[in-house]
Amino acid sequence: MLSKNARLWLGLIAVISLLSLASSCSKGGGDDVENPTTEGGGKTYTAKNNEGTISGVVSYNGTAPENKKIDTSADSACTSKSPDLKTEEWVVKDGKLGNTYVYIKDGTLADGSKIGDYGKWPNMPASATLDQNGCHYKPHVLGVVVNEPISITNSDPTQHNVHFTPKGNPDWNQGQANGAPPLQHKLARAEVMVPVKCNQHPWMKAYVAVSKHPFFAITAEDGSYSIKGVPPGKYTVVAWHEGGANGTEQKMEVTVAASGAGKADFAFGGTAMVEEGSWPILEAITFPTLHNH
Ligand SMILES: [Cu+2]
């Protein structure tokens, strides 16, 4: 027979474990993590030769924060190969923002079907490479589709330890000695964004976005991007940048006519430009964020 105290404790433990279960579930749902997608799951989209494009430019308004110099002295192999290594959060040139991940988040095709109904599209990328070179990742932001093989190469004369830290996919953590063959990894669920770190070199950071469809792009240094092969329809297009505590998103509705060209320009930053009398600018900058989630 349990004492009154013991029963009270058991009850408390039950309540706490239920609560933590509930919170871990809502955590997955609150982020951009979709349901499991098996290879080949969902409908197959057949090209109709009336697909269009979505393109645009991502700007940064104001003065971007400076990238910081990284102290690599813990590993002399890093120091000699990358003597001037800096953080890569801000790629800003002439007011344009690079390394921004732009993708179709959802939308409805002209025939009424949803973009999420499809699991197979023409021109699905076949493979991607994430290179560890000079003790940083190349590229810094990578977009893949679900189950796309990612080859992780070590081009450095030192050991790395690549660690994917997703929310909706399994954690993945692998050491890789210098000269070791490439590691292979793939992620089965759509997720924006999966942070990647190196347990060996704490400054190393990359971001991998996993999409169910091939309609994504990463902005170049001039802020431009282009997404091709988009079926006619109405879409929510999201631009994601790593700045901020958990990244920052902007979103926009874009219509693509048959064989048409949809435009979606985005702007990040902006606080430096907000001053009295510039309400139209303020509105243009902050409006998309109001509609986040
Ligand atoms: Cu490393």
Side-chain angles (χ1 to χ4, degrees):
M1 190 69 190
L2 292 166
S3 73
K4 200 176 171 188
N5 246 344
R7 268 179 291 159
L8 192 71
W9 277 111
L10 275 176
L12 257 174
I13 289 164
V15 168
I16 289 167
S17 34
L18 272 172
L19 276 174
S20 63
L21 239 174
S23 75
S24 63
C25 289
S26 64
K27 201 172 162 191
D31 290 281
D32 293 334
V33 176
E34 289 176 14
N35 293 325
T37 310
T38 49
E39 210 156 7
K43 293 203 280 183
T44 299
Y45 179 86
T46 314
K48 294 167 183 65
N49 292 319
N50 67 350
E51 287 78 18
T53 59
I54 295 175
S55 65
V57 174
V58 178
S59 304
Y60 189 92
N61 292 323
T63 309
E66 268 185 43
N67 293 314
K68 297 177 188 77
K69 177 141 173 57
I70 292 168
D71 177 9
T72 56
S73 57
D75 189 335
S76 59
C78 298
T79 316
S80 53
K81 200 165 171 181
S82 292
D84 207 17
L85 203 58
K86 285 183 175 163
T87 56
E88 295 166 285
E89 188 173 354
W90 298 104
V91 178
V92 179
K93 199 179 166 191
D94 301 328
K96 304 293 185 280
L97 184 59
N99 268 355
T100 307
Y101 178 73
V102 185
Y103 68 109
I104 293 181
K105 185 164 184 173
D106 45 48
T108 307
L109 280 61
D111 66 6
S113 60
K114 299 278 180 197
I115 197 153
D117 295 345
Y118 299 89
K120 272 191 176 170
W121 297 87
N123 305 316
M124 289 283 260
S127 67
T129 300
L130 183 63
D131 190 25
Q132 300 156 113
N133 197 337
C135 297
H136 69 138
Y137 291 107
K138 282 183 182 176
H140 180 65
V141 181
L142 174 67
V144 295
V145 291
V146 289
N147 290 321
E148 178 178 343
I150 305 169
S151 176
I152 298 149
T153 51
N154 183 356
S155 304
D156 285 330
T158 189
Q159 163 141 352
H160 288 293
N161 188 111
V162 61
H163 188 179
F164 282 64
T165 58
K167 288 190 171 121
N169 286 282
D171 191 271
W172 191 79
N173 183 4
Q174 294 281 318
Q176 189 176 27
N178 41 319
L183 295 165
Q184 301 295 330
H185 187 43
K186 55 187 181 181
L187 297 104
R189 296 183 185 194
E191 183 169 348
V192 178
M193 223 8 144
V194 178
V196 177
K197 61 180 184 178
C198 175
N199 291 355
Q200 213 73 5
H201 308 107
W203 62 83
M204 288 178 67
K205 269 185 195 169
Y207 294 92
V208 177
V210 189
S211 168
K212 269 179 77 175
H213 55 64
F215 306 120
F216 57 82
I218 290 148
T219 58
E221 263 194 28
D222 64 356
S224 68
Y225 75 91
S226 176
I227 300 170
K228 296 182 177 71
V230 183
K234 206 177 168 194
Y235 303 102
T236 303
V237 178
V238 170
W240 182 98
H241 185 266
E242 68 189 273
N246 293 301
T248 309
E249 276 187 9
Q250 308 271 350
K251 62 174 85 171
M252 200 175 287
E253 302 301 317
V254 180
T255 300
V256 177
S259 304
K263 279 275 168 205
D265 296 332
F266 297 91
F268 287 78
T271 44
M273 287 188 69
V274 176
E275 44 191 278
E276 264 186 305
S278 61
W279 286 110
I281 294 172
L282 177 66
E283 224 166 78
I285 293 161
T286 55
F287 176 76
T289 51
L290 290 176
H291 292 255
N292 259 353
H293 303 294

